[in-house]
Amino acid sequence: MAGFGFDEAQEMLRRQVKDFAQKELAPGAQKRNATTKAPREVARRLGEMGLLAIPVPEKYGGQGSDWVSYAIALEELARVDFFASMAPIYAGVAYVLLSQTPEEKWRQWLPPVLQGERICCFAVSEPEAGSDAAAMKLTATRDGDGYILNGEKTSISVGMDADVALLFAKTNPKERAHGITTFWVPLDLPGIVRSHLPHTGYKPMAAASIIFDGVRIPAANRISEEGKGFYAAAGGMDFLRPSLGMVSLGMAEAALDAAASYALQRTAFGRPIAKFEGVSFKVAEHATRLEAARLLCYRTFYLRDLGLPHTKESAMCKWWCPVVAFDAVHDAILLHGHIGYSEEFPLEQRLRDLLGMEFADGTAQIMKIIIAREMMGRVAVPY
């Protein structure tokens, strides 16, 4: 990506993903997004298309493409199917974390995730550890050639259907961030109990509370060095926040397109409502905000492709894009009137999902602390 545009290969990818999404995902997308079951057939199809492995190097079984291309795919998928747009993000988390492990580990664990055969969840949050992730209490106690897991993770997206968890646990409970270690945990082990947490949105990514009661895993399932999990993840996960921003914008762009189309068809007082500035100006204002947010996301991924720092920009994407997107979908519903508020159209679903995006992977307040820290140093951090 250079000159505020995409190269030929990226444009070709956009057309391919858009065509795939419209032809294969759009039929049935609304029905799938109303259920609380992860559509595994969608994950497998994404794997077949290579859309779960766009930025993953070829040695890991990926496409070896760039992060801007990955963002292009997210945007086009999000316009049509929420679950489909989130699946590459979870695959990306698995790649980033497993790329730090010895070859025999990622060769065993990563390919099924990239192929859509196994669903992976990201288990960080706990009942008393959300924004303050370093306060987590789930423990991993060394026991001979393994670890014993005890504790609870909560509000884990796709936790009810995931096959495996990328789990963050305390191997040294006396420490905060320096006591956290990452593990690869199959979720069919004895001692694991999952309970569904019904959420307002994110329906096909059914959230779970997951109890670990004396769960034994091999020491070989440790991903990071002991006490290095928090920092190993933080060092490579700056792609996650602009990813959520990109998905948010894709949903909002589809909603705004629908509102603009509806405004041309719906008549009032003998003319299309697009004639009224109270309608047309709303569309124009949201189109402008979405485009500005979109450029911020793509610039962030461009910086990542160049190997340049992008922590500040990632945090900007995460707090701002869901807000801009939510406002756009909100007004798209109002422009449709009562029919936009009905379950006949996906607008209400997009609004519910976007509300969750505002706190997923960090609240706006935490993101603003990160931005201020990157600009002014740790003096701007209140803890």
Side-chain angles (χ1 to χ4, degrees), residues 85-104:
S85 67
M86 293 296 290
I89 298 176
Y90 282 86
V93 171
Y95 152 62
V96 169
L97 291 179
L98 292 178
S99 65
Q100 304 173 52
T101 65
E103 182 175 344
E104 64 270 15

Side-chain angles (χ1 to χ4, degrees), residues 1-55:
M1 181 182 185
F4 297 97
F6 304 113
D7 61 30
E8 185 177 348
Q10 291 165 340
E11 285 292 353
M12 182 179 295
L13 174 68
R14 180 182 291 283
R15 291 192 295 271
Q16 290 173 341
V17 177
K18 183 176 182 177
D19 185 65
F20 162 71
Q22 293 295 330
K23 290 182 178 178
E24 297 193 35
L25 296 181
Q30 193 170 346
K31 183 178 180 179
R32 289 193 301 272
N33 280 307
T35 69
T36 55
K37 193 70 177 174
R40 288 182 177 271
E41 70 281 2
V42 171
R44 294 190 187 98
R45 188 69 182 105
L46 292 171
E48 292 172 2
M49 293 282 293
L51 297 178
L52 300 180
I54 290 174

